[in-house]
Coordinates of all heavy atoms in Angstrom, one line a residue:
M309 N -28.9 -1.8 12.8 CA -28.1 -0.9 11.9 C -27.1 -1.7 11.0 O -27.0 -1.5 9.8 CB -27.4 0.2 12.7 CG -28.3 1.2 13.3 SD -27.4 2.4 14.3 CE -26.3 3.1 13.1
G319 N -27.4 -5.5 -1.7 CA -28.3 -5.1 -2.9 C -27.5 -4.4 -3.9 O -27.7 -4.6 -5.1
S327 N -26.0 -5.9 -13.7 CA -25.8 -5.0 -14.8 C -24.6 -5.4 -15.6 O -24.6 -5.3 -16.9 CB -25.6 -3.6 -14.3 OG -26.7 -3.1 -13.5
S358 N -15.6 0.2 -27.4 CA -15.8 1.5 -28.1 C -15.7 2.7 -27.2 O -15.4 2.5 -26.0 CB -17.1 1.5 -28.8 OG -18.2 1.3 -27.9
A367 N -5.1 -1.5 -15.1 CA -5.5 -0.6 -14.0 C -5.5 -1.4 -12.7 O -5.2 -0.8 -11.6 CB -6.9 -0.1 -14.3
L433 N 10.2 18.4 -4.7 CA 11.2 17.4 -4.5 C 11.6 16.8 -5.9 O 12.8 16.5 -6.1 CB 10.7 16.2 -3.6 CG 10.5 16.6 -2.1 CD1 9.9 15.4 -1.4 CD2 11.8 17.0 -1.5
G435 N 11.6 18.2 -8.8 CA 12.5 19.1 -9.6 C 13.9 19.1 -9.0 O 14.9 19.1 -9.8
E439 N 17.5 17.9 -10.9 CA 18.7 18.7 -11.0 C 19.9 18.0 -10.4 O 21.0 18.2 -10.9 CB 18.4 20.0 -10.2 CG 17.4 21.0 -10.9 CD 17.2 22.2 -10.1 OE1 17.9 22.4 -9.1 OE2 16.3 23.1 -10.6
I475 N -4.0 3.4 15.8 CA -2.9 2.8 16.6 C -2.9 3.5 18.0 O -2.7 2.9 19.0 CB -1.6 2.9 15.9 CG1 -1.6 2.1 14.6 CG2 -0.5 2.3 16.8 CD1 -0.3 2.2 13.8
E477 N -5.3 5.0 19.6 CA -6.5 4.5 20.4 C -6.2 3.1 21.0 O -6.6 2.8 22.1 CB -7.7 4.6 19.6 CG -8.2 6.0 19.3 CD -9.5 6.0 18.5 OE1 -9.9 4.9 18.0 OE2 -10.0 7.1 18.3
A508 N 0.9 -6.2 22.0 CA -0.4 -6.2 22.5 C -1.3 -5.3 21.7 O -2.6 -5.5 21.7 CB -0.5 -5.8 24.0
A524 N -7.0 3.8 0.1 CA -6.1 4.0 -1.0 C -6.5 3.4 -2.3 O -6.4 3.9 -3.4 CB -4.7 3.5 -0.7
Q564 N -10.2 4.9 -13.9 CA -10.9 4.4 -15.0 C -12.4 4.6 -14.9 O -13.1 5.0 -15.9 CB -10.6 2.9 -15.2 CG -9.2 2.6 -15.6 CD -8.8 3.1 -17.0 OE1 -8.2 4.2 -17.1 NE2 -9.1 2.4 -18.0
D567 N -13.2 8.4 -15.2 CA -13.0 8.9 -16.6 C -14.2 8.4 -17.4 O -14.7 9.1 -18.3 CB -11.7 8.4 -17.2 CG -11.5 8.8 -18.6 OD1 -11.1 10.0 -18.8 OD2 -11.7 8.0 -19.5
R611 N 1.3 -15.6 17.7 CA 1.8 -14.9 18.9 C 1.1 -15.5 20.2 O 1.5 -15.1 21.3 CB 1.6 -13.4 18.8 CG 2.3 -12.8 17.6 CD 2.3 -11.3 17.8 NE 3.1 -10.9 19.0 CZ 4.4 -10.7 18.9 NH1 5.1 -10.9 17.8 NH2 5.1 -10.4 20.0

Side-chain angles (χ1 to χ4, degrees):
M309 291 178 61
S327 300
S358 57
L433 291 181
E439 292 181 1
I475 300 176
E477 291 179 352
Q564 294 292 99
D567 181 78
R611 300 193 65 87

